[in-house]
Amino acid sequence: MARPTHAFSLPGVANLHSHAFQRAMAGLAERQTDPKDSFWTWRETMYRMAARFDPDTLYAVAAQLYAEMLEAGYTRVCEFHYLHHAPDGTPYDDPAAMSRALVRAARDTGIRMTLLPVLYMSGGFDGRPLGERQRRFGHDVDGFLRLLETLRGEEDAMLRVGCALHSLRAVPADAMRAVVAALPPDMPLHIHIAEQIGEVQDCLALRGARPVEWLLANAEVDARWTLVHATHLEPAEVTGIARSGATVAICPTTEANLGDGLFPLRDYLAAGGAFGIGSDSQVSVSPVEELRWLEYGQRLSTRRRNIAVGADSSSVGETLLHAVQASSARATGFDPGGEVLLLDEDAPQLTGATPEDLQDRWIFSGNRNLVREVHVNGELVVSEGRHRDRDAIAARYRQALVKLL
Ligand code: NGQ
Ligand code: ZN
């Protein structure tokens, strides 16, 4: 099918950070168990959910999620995948079984995937061993590199394989160096970096520097790197990331949901930094909502309006969407192009839309989904706002959820 050339068409959006399995717990961690509930208590709930998955349920949940992503306008996803082994830590007969479940979900739904197998080795900066619930995440360096090599054999127009380091907490410095040195030079490399104040303090105490500061000093951070949740930054770290050419993956709805803090977008844009967005914990699966809250967070904290604008445009929607497009190829490893959305020209809130205001109207005119068609790599995967296999995928998801819950 030809690429639509149309006044209401826009390029598809890259989702730079996803943990697919967490789709199954969205909305199920919103009851206070202690007045001090935090990211760390949420993480215990998340680990209980993570322990229940097998390749079949992971496939069903990921397929539902990816169909939702396509309907919302995400056309490529970086899957930050660490549920590698059986719950007790024993590898599956096929050590790549969980990875393959995710790849199959992406292929069946028609979303482009950058699979990021995650290296996860220790339970904290002090090098303590993995906790019981973390065992299924773990690898040694050799086993991890073998997994990457196996999966690279599957690459094609719809699949790229990158590499993820879970966090500085979970990857000792020497393992980080060994893995990075062994990677093909063009491979995308993602890491969770500075999401919580607690990890910034632990990093300072045990490595003598803040996480971003430490990474910039101890790795050749460049355009192949994506720093996820670079939330807590000193001014020198803001300019350091911007100068390195790395992309920051900001996940506004998850960062709000988990009480992380606010990324210093205004300073980062002023420094010329690259960024993209991610749906991360899947409390929202919508590029519109991520971008809107990226801007609104800044408005709430500065008490000003129209913050995310650059030298090229005074439009917030255009600036945000342009930035997300500009970082996409480096962060995902896919060339640009071949992913097109068509917005609903009959939607009342797009009445009289022009190329100048279409992007602002898409992002800032409410919650009705305006995506009518989605084309990925020559295939029509969403039409009339519905994924081509929406009903069958949802039926399988419901069965999986009954098992998981
Ligand atoms: C994750 N998610 O790996 O799923 C993390 C939580 C951690 C987010 N940071 C676990 N949003 O960081 O240890
Ligand atoms: Zn994450």
Side-chain angles (χ1 to χ4, degrees):
M1 167 152 247
R3 259 177 85 141
T5 45
H6 192 285
F8 285 74
S9 83
L10 291 171
V13 178
N15 184 346
L16 297 191
H17 193 66
S18 162
H19 305 287
F21 76 90
Q22 291 175 17
R23 180 71 188 88
M25 64 175 283
L28 294 177
E30 309 300 328
R31 266 173 198 271
Q32 192 182 76
T33 52
D34 185 298
K36 292 207 278 292
D37 272 349
S38 68
F39 174 89
W40 305 104
T41 56
W42 167 85
R43 194 171 78 153
E44 292 306 314
T45 309
M46 185 273 278
Y47 283 170
R48 282 195 289 280
M49 177 57 82
R52 299 183 192 150
F53 277 86
D54 63 17
D56 289 341
T57 45
L58 185 60
Y59 169 79
V61 169
Q64 172 68 25
L65 173 68
Y66 298 155
E68 290 174 9
M69 284 184 191
L70 286 161
E71 289 184 355
Y74 288 123
T75 48
R76 50 177 75 178
V77 58
C78 296
E79 182 61 41
F80 198 101
H81 163 56
Y82 57 89
L83 297 191
H84 298 299
H85 312 303
D88 67 355
T90 315
Y92 288 101
D93 291 342
D94 171 6
M98 293 291 263
S99 294
R100 291 191 209 283
L102 292 165
V103 169
R104 196 155 54 85
R107 292 196 188 289
D108 289 355
T109 52
I111 197 166
R112 279 200 162 121
M113 169 182 273
T114 303
L115 181 65
L116 302 165
V118 173
L119 178 62
Y120 203 117
M121 298 179 75
S122 62
F125 277 106
D126 55 6
R128 80 187 80 145
L130 300 178
E132 198 188 315
R133 289 209 165 93
Q134 297 169 325
R135 264 180 219 141
R136 71 182 313 185
F137 315 159
H139 277 106
D140 59 22
V141 167
D142 289 345
F144 178 68
L145 291 174
R146 272 198 302 280
L147 176 67
L148 287 187
E149 198 48 44
T150 305
L151 292 166
R152 267 166 65 80
E154 311 280 315
E155 284 190 329
D156 60 15
M158 296 300 288
L159 178 70
R160 287 281 173 280
V161 176
C163 170
L165 310 173
H166 182 274
S167 51
L168 295 180
R169 284 179 261 135
V171 180
D174 52 350
M176 178 189 91
R177 290 196 186 94
V179 166
V180 173
L183 297 178
D186 55 341
M187 187 181 254
L189 191 43
H190 291 223
I191 184 170
H192 288 135
I193 193 68
E195 181 171 17
Q196 285 285 317
I197 297 286
E199 71 182 327
V200 175
Q201 288 166 343
D202 286 355
C203 191
L204 259 171
L206 283 136
R207 295 201 185 172
R210 303 163 56 81
V212 168
E213 185 189 11
W214 188 90
L215 190 72
L216 291 170
N218 287 275
E220 281 173 44
V221 177
D222 60 16
R224 71 201 291 227
W225 286 77
T226 295
L227 310 189
V228 184
H229 311 304
T231 309
H232 298 291
L233 300 177
E234 295 289 338
E237 295 176 307
V238 170
T239 49
I241 300 174
R243 245 186 263 127
S244 75
T247 298
V248 170
I250 313 166
C251 309
T253 63
T254 294
E255 290 161 10
N257 185 275
L258 298 180
D260 288 347
L262 206 56
F263 176 74
L265 181 70
R266 199 155 69 150
D267 298 342
Y268 187 68
L269 283 176
F275 71 90
I277 51 167
S279 64
D280 190 356
S281 68
Q282 332 297 356
V283 289
S284 172
V285 184
S286 161
V288 169
E289 196 176 12
E290 299 305 336
L291 292 172
R292 185 196 293 152
W293 277 101
L294 185 55
E295 167 70 14
Y296 283 175
Q298 305 297 311
R299 293 189 191 185
L300 288 165
S301 74
T302 61
R303 289 177 261 141
R304 303 274 293 275
R305 298 190 72 250
N306 303 333
I307 311 289
V309 297
D312 306 337
S313 172
S314 58
S315 147
V316 176
E318 185 184 353
T319 303
L320 292 173
L321 283 164
H322 185 267
V324 163
Q325 290 304 324
S327 65
S328 169
R330 281 178 315 234
T332 66
F334 282 108
D335 290 340
E339 297 157 39
V340 180
L341 316 177
L342 205 57
L343 300 190
D344 181 3
E345 59 192 302
D346 301 322
Q349 69 260 50
L350 293 182
T351 308
T354 66
E356 284 68 45
D357 63 22
L358 184 69
Q359 302 179 73
D360 285 329
R361 285 175 178 235
W362 186 33
I363 306 299
F364 293 105
S365 73
N367 291 322
R368 174 175 160 185
N369 185 355
L370 298 176
V371 176
R372 176 185 267 184
E373 275 183 23
V374 179
H375 301 252
V376 181
N377 196 32
E379 284 201 44
L380 177 65
V381 290
V382 171
S383 58
E384 296 306 323
R386 293 175 64 88
H387 186 270
R388 60 188 179 192
D389 294 321
R390 184 199 268 189
D391 295 338
I393 288 170
R396 207 177 310 109
Y397 177 77
R398 285 193 196 93
Q399 285 175 359
L401 223 63
V402 169
K403 272 202 227 163
L404 290 165
L405 301 177

